Amino acid sequence: MRDEEVLHRIRRLRRPDAAADPELAPGLVHLDDAAVTVVASAGRLLADVPVEKLASPDFPLRPLRVAVTGTFTPGTLEPLLRVALLRIGIAAEIHVSGFDQLVLDLSDPRSALAEFRPDVTLCLLHDGWFLPAEWDPGDLAGLADVLGERAGVLAAALRGYATRTEGAVLLHTVPLSPLEHRSLVSFRGRAELGRIWRELNSQLLELGERDTTYTLDLETLLVDHDGPVRDERLYRFASMAWTPTVERRYAHEAATFCRAVLGRTAKVLALDLDNTLWAGVLGDDGLTGIRLGTDYPGNCHRDVQRRALALRRQGVLLAVCSKNDPDLVTEAFAQHPDLLLRSDDFVAQAVNWGRKDENLRQLAATLNLGLDAVVFADDSPFECELVRRELPTVRVVELAGDPAGFPTRLLTEGHFTVLATGATDRERTELYRARAGRERFAATFDSAADYLHELKLRVTVREVDEHSLPRVAQLGLRTNQFTMTERAHTEAQTRTRAGSPDHLVLTVEVTDRFGAEGLVGGLWLSRDDPDAWVIENFVLSCRVFSRGVEQAALHRVAELARAAGATRLEALFRPTARNKPGGAVWPAAGFTVASVDDGTTRHVLPLHPPPRLLPAWIALEEGDIRA
Amino acid sequence: MTLTEVVAGVLEVDPAEVTDESGPETIGTWTSLRHLQLVVTLEEVYGLSFVFEEIRDVRSVGELRTVLRAKGTETR
């Protein structure tokens, strides 16, 4: 869609009898490279278009009430913000206050803004509001005091407002006009002014660390902005402190903030490999031919890896989506000295010659996430376009142009932006956050048992199904510590066993007061001898170690075996370099060694009387299992 | 984009409603603020720069066209 076509389609929608246009809202990305005036025109025109004409099941629009108030006149922010929000699936009702209404709006419980009851309040600030018009360059200490007082006025207004609103508030750091800097003649004085100004910005940043107030570090974001922050003519004539392009940059960041408020953050980054994570084509250039060292362009790709790793460390799940030979890829991740990412960093690897849209669809299903939680990054325009067309809700990052720009392209959109990486009630859905919460929670208890009781653990053991099968097989293959063998069952082997009456494949799921951990373990059982059920393998994710989950799962297996008439449970164990934690479960659960044969230890546990393995702090929930 | 389309875009009206005679008196959305936005938009579209004095008192699309022509820009 070209600029003109977008505008044309919006105009058509404004007619009362116009049919809905579900492609328009996602199509607004086509305005990303358009002139700011075109985007502003689109935003103004869109103000009159009813949401029903824009929404579609593929691209649902979420309502949000957004208020804008500031110390200056926001010239074109409203239409720019409207486009920035719609583009990412938010149909906002926007309220804009007039010039310098900020303190009044925040202080007066009956202000128009307060009565609008915003979900998000955007506070726009400019240097002229903080600086006295006639500040004395000979008294910078006095200036620092005045700036402190102004910040105090703002802080007081915000405190009052915070008690009356349930919505989120966004402040930002304020760039200082170079005009003020140059008004001082001495280098020392300019440096001091700079320090005083950064102290003010520090105070603004601090204000964003409590309640529901957040601070956007706009000063940093404007470092790579093209052009001046303000147009002196607009500023003097109409008190507009930002040029339209700065407003556009702000609108993008504010929209990202709104998405984080709504919790619509992406959770998975699916990465291509060739010419994305490294320069070159692994299949053609070989392990030694691909480049990702310290020289250009390898260092650009290495930086992509560094950024992806940083995302992973903050809770973003990484996945591979590559057309490649899986053996070569495994070898590369295991052996290439310059790879920062290793196989363990990925939750799933779709390395095959299939269609990428299909792979992404499966990936989302495997992780039990919606496609809108997936970001797909690839250097191939073909793959990007295919995914955009087939899966409009997947967010596509096209790594085009010079690889030096890839890290920026990956992060600029802010797909993974959240309000805070700490745990609050609303944000606890994500696994990593839940874990962080558990650790802090643990610190408040005297004994581990107290902590485990308060965790309110629930364990469900159920038979594997179509949905969980790839995941449990993956878990088996990926687990190194709590596993009974180095030869875990492949997906195909798991599938055969799942369909065989002589075998049983079980999954273990855990939930606690912080949320669902999801599928954390699996058991592969053979029951062709009705007298003795044999546990061929038992794997458990290290995320749930030391909570008695393994005992609870074995308790359930013992119940099942007894109910089927078995008199004993047997368990096989082959030591590897790293699976000591797995082997320790058998003596702990009361199994004894029956035999050692060719490196495999066979443990046994009689089922009469019924073994009591279930820890007191765990509730075992019924899961479907065929007899 | 034609001048009419630029004006219509900023003022949120149908381009068909805009003629050379259109001005703040005939188009309700042509406020002083929108007038400024129009100036900034014209600068961007035609790649030129105004002194505000040149353009702040312009009262119609036709006059805009004249000012642009004076700066060497022919508009459609």
Side-chain angles (χ1 to χ4, degrees):
Chain A
M1 246 187 269
R2 289 169 43 237
D3 304 358
E4 284 82 12
E5 192 192 338
V6 175
L7 291 176
H8 175 73
R9 286 170 82 151
I10 301 172
R11 286 205 187 90
R12 196 172 55 200
L13 272 187
R14 280 156 56 95
R15 294 189 201 119
D17 56 342
D21 187 349
E23 288 169 19
L24 184 62
L28 290 174
V29 295
H30 295 284
L31 295 183
D32 285 0
D33 296 324
V36 65
T37 49
V38 173
V39 184
S41 293
R44 290 191 195 99
L45 293 166
L46 279 163
D48 296 341
V49 177
V51 184
E52 311 84 75
K53 289 191 177 177
L54 295 168
S56 78
D58 277 345
F59 197 80
L61 297 174
R62 288 173 178 78
L64 193 73
R65 300 172 71 79
V66 181
V68 181
T69 181
T71 59
F72 60 93
T73 307
T76 25
L77 185 63
E78 180 180 348
L80 296 173
L81 188 60
R82 188 178 307 287
V83 172
L85 286 162
L86 265 178
R87 179 181 168 281
I88 57 173
I90 300 170
E93 194 173 328
I94 302 176
H95 175 280
V96 182
S97 301
F99 166 70
D100 201 10
Q101 292 294 300
L102 178 79
V103 175
L104 274 174
D105 269 342
L106 297 183
S107 311
D108 179 2
R110 279 175 301 280
S111 68
L113 178 137
E115 283 171 4
F116 177 69
R117 305 184 66 80
D119 300 311
V120 172
T121 304
L122 305 175
C123 300
L124 312 184
L125 308 164
H126 77 298
D127 53 359
W129 186 78
F130 291 95
L131 287 165
E134 318 296 340
W135 62 274
D136 178 359
D139 180 19
L140 288 175
L143 178 66
D145 292 341
V146 175
L147 294 181
E149 281 165 29
R150 295 299 269 172
V153 169
L154 181 64
L158 278 166
R159 265 198 303 278
Y161 186 64
T163 62
R164 292 188 300 272
T165 182
E166 289 175 350
V169 179
L170 186 65
L171 302 176
H172 60 83
T173 53
V174 183
L176 177 67
S177 166
L179 197 57
E180 308 296 347
H181 172 89
R182 295 194 180 105
S183 296
L184 290 167
V185 294
S186 77
F187 264 85
R188 285 267 153 77
R190 289 171 182 172
E192 191 178 344
L193 175 64
R195 180 172 54 71
I196 291 168
W197 192 257
R198 286 347 180 281
E199 278 163 15
L200 169 68
N201 275 332
S202 284
Q203 284 174 280
L204 293 171
L205 290 165
E206 269 177 48
L207 286 174
E209 290 171 3
R210 49 180 178 265
D211 303 327
T212 52
T213 303
Y214 299 84
T215 304
L216 171 74
D217 191 3
L218 186 66
E219 194 186 29
T220 296
L221 291 169
L222 291 177
V223 166
D224 64 358
H225 180 260
D226 204 8
V229 171
R230 77 183 183 207
D231 177 322
E232 293 297 327
R233 297 166 309 171
L234 294 174
Y235 185 55
R236 304 297 165 186
F237 192 78
S239 297
M240 294 180 194
W242 288 349
T243 55
T245 53
V246 169
E247 290 181 329
R248 182 187 203 174
R249 175 69 61 97
Y250 176 83
H252 170 72
E253 299 297 334
T256 307
F257 175 73
C258 290
R259 177 162 64 188
V261 168
L262 284 169
R264 307 303 304 169
T265 301
K267 298 185 174 63
V268 192
L269 173 59
L271 288 157
D272 171 49
L273 297 177
D274 290 337
N275 288 318
T276 294
L277 284 197
W278 51 70
V281 177
L282 183 61
D284 297 340
D285 304 330
L287 189 59
T288 52
I290 57 171
R291 284 159 299 158
L292 70 166
T294 49
D295 298 330
Y296 180 91
N299 56 359
C300 308
H301 297 276
R302 195 173 154 90
D303 199 50
V304 170
Q305 294 200 27
R306 192 174 289 126
R307 307 296 161 180
L309 188 60
L311 290 172
R312 187 190 68 63
R313 287 178 174 151
Q314 296 169 89
V316 173
L317 308 176
L318 301 183
V320 174
C321 187
S322 166
K323 285 185 174 157
N324 240 314
D325 179 335
D327 293 339
L328 286 179
V329 169
T330 306
E331 187 192 6
F333 277 121
Q335 293 178 14
H336 201 293
D338 293 326
L339 271 164
L340 296 174
L341 292 168
R342 297 290 169 187
S343 285
D344 285 355
D345 290 313
F346 298 98
V347 290
Q349 296 195 30
V351 180
N352 54 46
W353 301 99
R355 289 170 56 138
K356 292 208 175 182
D357 55 327
E358 279 308 315
N359 280 323
L360 289 173
R361 210 191 295 272
Q362 274 183 24
L363 172 75
T366 306
L367 298 172
N368 200 17
L369 290 168
L371 282 164
D372 60 340
V374 179
V375 175
F376 170 65
D378 201 312
D379 65 296
S380 153
F382 167 81
E383 303 291 1
C384 290
E385 195 47 42
L386 174 77
V387 171
R388 273 193 209 105
R389 199 180 60 233
E390 297 299 321
L391 308 171
T393 41
V394 167
R395 312 179 195 179
V396 176
V397 175
E398 188 168 333
L399 298 172
D402 194 292
F406 285 8
T408 303
R409 279 181 185 267
L410 186 62
L411 297 178
T412 301
E413 181 65 29
H415 287 299
F416 303 104
T417 303
V418 293
L419 294 180
T421 44
T424 72
D425 284 321
R426 251 184 318 169
E427 299 165 344
R428 238 177 229 129
T429 49
E430 281 179 74
L431 219 101
Y432 78 100
R433 286 184 179 149
R435 283 165 60 203
R438 278 177 205 107
E439 279 152 24
R440 268 199 295 284
F441 187 62
T444 64
F445 286 93
D446 293 330
S447 77
D450 279 353
Y451 161 59
L452 289 167
H453 273 285
E454 285 305 312
L455 258 183
K456 304 204 187 316
L457 282 163
R458 280 175 291 144
V459 171
T460 311
V461 177
R462 71 175 95 231
E463 193 167 353
V464 72
D465 57 24
E466 201 44 47
H467 178 71
S468 60
L469 195 142
R471 295 185 57 198
V472 77
Q474 266 295 321
L475 183 69
L477 294 169
R478 219 174 57 221
T479 303
N480 296 316
Q481 297 184 67
F482 197 112
T483 180
M484 304 307 152
T485 173
E486 79 279 25
R487 288 187 290 231
H489 302 82
T490 62
E491 186 173 327
Q493 290 167 334
T494 303
R495 197 173 289 283
T496 312
R497 278 169 171 69
S500 142
D502 289 337
H503 291 84
L504 191 59
V505 182
L506 301 172
T507 63
V508 182
E509 290 166 57
V510 174
T511 302
D512 66 21
R513 59 181 292 163
F514 294 107
E517 285 277 7
L519 197 159
V520 295
L523 290 129
W524 285 255
L525 293 142
S526 159
R527 51 181 182 182
D528 55 353
D529 174 2
D531 207 33
W533 282 26
V534 180
I535 301 171
E536 296 177 335
N537 195 11
F538 182 11
V539 302
L540 199 65
S541 161
C542 56
R543 298 204 311 266
V544 295
F545 280 4
S546 326
R547 295 184 209 169
V549 171
E550 62 279 33
Q551 306 267 343
L554 289 175
H555 185 90
R556 183 83 183 113
V557 173
E559 280 181 346
L560 289 168
R562 257 178 73 84
T567 61
R568 64 181 193 277
L569 271 185
E570 293 184 3
L572 307 180
F573 177 70
R574 286 179 67 85
T576 71
R578 294 179 61 192
N579 72 348
K580 227 184 226 159
V585 73
W586 306 120
F591 285 70
T592 52
V593 175
S595 65
V596 181
D597 182 17
D598 194 21
T600 299
T601 309
R602 185 175 290 262
H603 296 85
V604 64
L605 179 74
L607 295 173
H608 297 285
R612 300 164 70 91
L613 297 172
L614 185 66
W617 56 80
I618 292 184
L620 200 50
E621 301 208 331
E622 288 286 332
D624 286 343
I625 296 168
R626 72 197 147 112
Chain B
M1 267 197 287
T2 65
L3 178 61
T4 317
E5 280 169 355
V6 175
V7 173
V10 175
L11 302 180
E12 289 176 58
V13 293
D14 196 307
E17 292 173 34
V18 180
T19 66
D20 269 19
E21 282 67 50
S22 303
E25 279 75 37
T26 61
I27 298 178
T29 52
W30 195 326
T31 60
S32 55
L33 184 61
R34 283 292 165 81
H35 189 77
L36 282 179
Q37 289 166 356
L38 189 52
V39 172
V40 175
T41 307
L42 292 172
E43 288 185 337
E44 189 178 297
V45 172
Y46 297 109
L48 41 77
S49 179
F50 294 108
V51 173
F52 269 24
E53 287 290 302
E54 292 175 320
I55 202 159
R56 64 190 267 197
D57 298 324
V58 164
R59 310 306 294 167
S60 73
V61 175
E63 284 182 47
L64 272 180
R65 213 180 281 285
T66 311
V67 171
L68 285 165
R69 186 174 302 127
K71 296 189 83 75
T73 302
E74 282 301 327
T75 54
R76 283 182 291 138

